[in-house]
């Protein structure tokens, strides 16, 4: 989770365990330190600036603020009786289902790791055409380095379910999909069937994560997007969450938490993020609020969304300009660093924990503060201002 930098501030959490004996883990946080010097800001003139996508290339004066990477620290079971400082995130005895994990470099994987580090049991739903590759890589140990948890153990995925969240039940599946060789050998992969399988296998869950999206025409401007492409983006990226929560609600224990992933394009113009995807993210955030009310009143379930910054994931590369977006974020965000998937994962662990028991219907920004900016400070219009910056 992003840390707010204040003068002479130290945030202390649970000590990292020095013993790496296997066992159920609890999560604390890392120690963050900052001691920035006061920086005088020149008065900004009344100038307009359109944010540029050009990489940051201006040498502004560097501040002395240093950022420490936030990593979930696990405590082994042998240290459970030790007195700890701070508030540990303890998800021991909880079970999570994460929909949309197909490799080890996306936000879904990072969320699974943070939940596992906090003690939760992990179940995942993987897109059917990617299932074989994912399970083979997992079985052959190709993900072992990525599975490493803070206590030295490897994240265990109890079960991988085939899932295509575009289809609610088997009646929705067209014949060309049923006969598609990419789906051959898999069964019970619609949302309703997966929920029924999880209920049969485990009875209940405590955490539901929606980490999937698809826009077949994402590279097209909105004015060039077809009705079919637009509706496909909404179906896969927003309604899929409604369907997922609808079918999993009967399995979710009171006090459970549901989390989805959104993006700032829901409320700001991001040229190149087209094909109806910006509309899909806006719908997802609106649905988050309505679902929070309905699921909260009927089932005491909390529903939140994380608006994550750009990440070099395989899915993001489909947009085509993810590297530029990352450079733009580093140049213009209040915290000048590249966002790590772990920071999003840790935020999800917090939202899933009792520490967030009063938070629902919220969109939590995990983007180094880029959402707060109204201008792009890397524009040449600001070249003569002494805006503090880390030099790249």
């Amino acid at each position: 989770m992003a840390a707010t930098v204040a003068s002479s501030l130290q945030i202390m959490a649970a000590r990292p365990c020095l013993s790496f004996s296997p066992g159920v883990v609890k999560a604390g946080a890392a120690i963050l330190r900052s001691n920035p010097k006061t920086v005088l800001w020149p008065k900004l003139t009344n100038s307009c600036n359109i944010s540029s996508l050009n990489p940051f290339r201006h040498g502004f004066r560097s501040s002395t603020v240093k950022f420490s990477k936030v990593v979930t620290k696990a405590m082994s079971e042998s240290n459970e009786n030790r007195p700890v400082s701070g508030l540990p995130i303890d998800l021991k005895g909880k079970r999570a289902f994460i929909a949309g994990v197909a490799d080890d470099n996306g936000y879904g994987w990072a969320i699974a790791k943070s939940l596992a580090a906090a003690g939760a049991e992990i179940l995942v739903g993987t897109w059917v055409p990617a299932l074989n590759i994912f399970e083979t890589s997992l079985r052959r140990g190709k993900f072992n380095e990525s599975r490493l948890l803070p206590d030295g153990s490897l994240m265990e995925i109890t079960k991988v379910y085939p899932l295509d969240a575009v289809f609610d039940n088997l009646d929705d599946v067209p014949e060309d999909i049923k006969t598609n060789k990419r789906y051959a050998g898999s069964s019970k992969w619609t949302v309703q069937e997966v929920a029924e399988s999880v209920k049969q296998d485990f009875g209940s869950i405590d955490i539901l994560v929606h980490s999937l999206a698809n826009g077949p025409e994402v590279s097209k401007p909105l004015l060039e997007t077809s009705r079919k492409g637009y509706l496909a983006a909404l179906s896969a990226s927003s309604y899929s969450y409604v369907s997922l929560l609808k079918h999993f609600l009967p399995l979710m224990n009171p006090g459970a938490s549901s989390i989805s992933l959104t993006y700032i394009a829901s409320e700001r113009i991001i040229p190149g993020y087209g094909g109806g995807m910006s509309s899909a993210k806006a719908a997802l955030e609106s649905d988050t609020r309505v679902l929070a009310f309905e699921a909260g009143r009927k089932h005491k379930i909390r529903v939140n969304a994380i608006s994550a910054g750009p990440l070099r994931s395989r899915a993001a590369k489909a947009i085509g300009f993810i590297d530029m977006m990352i450079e733009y974020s580093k140049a213009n965000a209040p915290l000048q660093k590249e966002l790590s998937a772990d920071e999003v994962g840790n935020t999800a662990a917090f939202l899933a924990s009792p520490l967030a028991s009063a938070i629902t219907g919220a969109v939590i920004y995990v983007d180094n503060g880029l959402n707060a900016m109204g201008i792009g400070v890397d524009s040449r219009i600001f070249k003569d201002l002494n805006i503090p910056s880390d030099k790249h």
Side-chain angles (χ1 to χ4, degrees), residues 339-387:
L339 183 70
S340 76
D342 289 343
E343 290 169 309
V344 172
N346 291 344
T347 303
F350 163 72
L351 288 173
S353 77
L355 298 181
S357 60
I359 300 176
T360 193
V363 176
I364 307 297
Y365 296 96
V366 185
D367 61 357
N368 291 322
L370 186 63
N371 72 90
M373 298 301 294
I375 56 175
V377 295
D378 65 340
S379 173
R380 292 184 179 182
I381 198 171
F382 295 111
K383 63 183 176 64
D384 295 327
L385 295 181
N386 292 321
I387 297 176

Side-chain angles (χ1 to χ4, degrees), residues 80-101:
E80 279 187 345
N81 296 324
R82 287 188 183 182
V84 296
S85 59
L87 295 172
I89 296 177
D90 185 1
L91 298 177
K92 184 176 66 175
K94 305 296 184 181
R95 183 178 296 115
F97 182 87
I98 301 101
V101 179

Side-chain angles (χ1 to χ4, degrees), residues 207-248:
I207 302 162
L208 178 67
V209 179
H210 177 275
S211 177
L212 48 87
N214 183 48
E217 299 181 18
V218 66
S219 60
K220 290 184 179 181
L222 189 57
L223 283 173
E224 297 176 16
T225 300
S226 69
R227 181 185 297 270
K228 182 179 179 181
Y230 184 94
L231 294 177
L234 264 71
S235 174
S237 309
S238 52
Y239 184 77
S240 59
Y241 185 44
V242 177
S243 177
L244 201 69
L245 188 55
K246 172 185 176 181
H247 288 94
F248 272 84

Side-chain angles (χ1 to χ4, degrees), residues 265-315:
S266 62
E267 54 185 290
R268 300 284 189 270
I269 300 169
I270 307 292
Y273 193 75
M277 280 303 300
S278 58
S279 305
K281 292 302 185 183
L284 181 64
E285 293 180 17
S286 178
D287 292 343
T288 293
R289 291 183 283 271
V290 177
L291 292 171
F293 174 76
E294 294 182 359
R297 288 296 183 96
K298 293 181 179 180
H299 302 279
K300 298 182 180 179
I301 306 298
R302 296 181 294 109
V303 182
N304 294 292
I306 296 174
S307 184
L311 176 74
R312 285 189 181 91
S313 65
R314 186 177 66 178

Side-chain angles (χ1 to χ4, degrees), residues 19-43:
S19 170
F20 293 124
S21 58
V24 179
V25 292
K26 288 184 177 179
I31 298 174
L32 309 178
R33 303 175 184 271
S34 66
N35 188 20
K37 295 181 180 178
T38 302
V39 180
L40 295 177
W41 284 62
K43 185 176 181 180

Side-chain angles (χ1 to χ4, degrees), residues 247-259:
H247 288 94
F248 272 84
L249 265 178
L251 285 70
M252 299 180 75
N253 295 316
S257 173
S258 182
I259 303 164

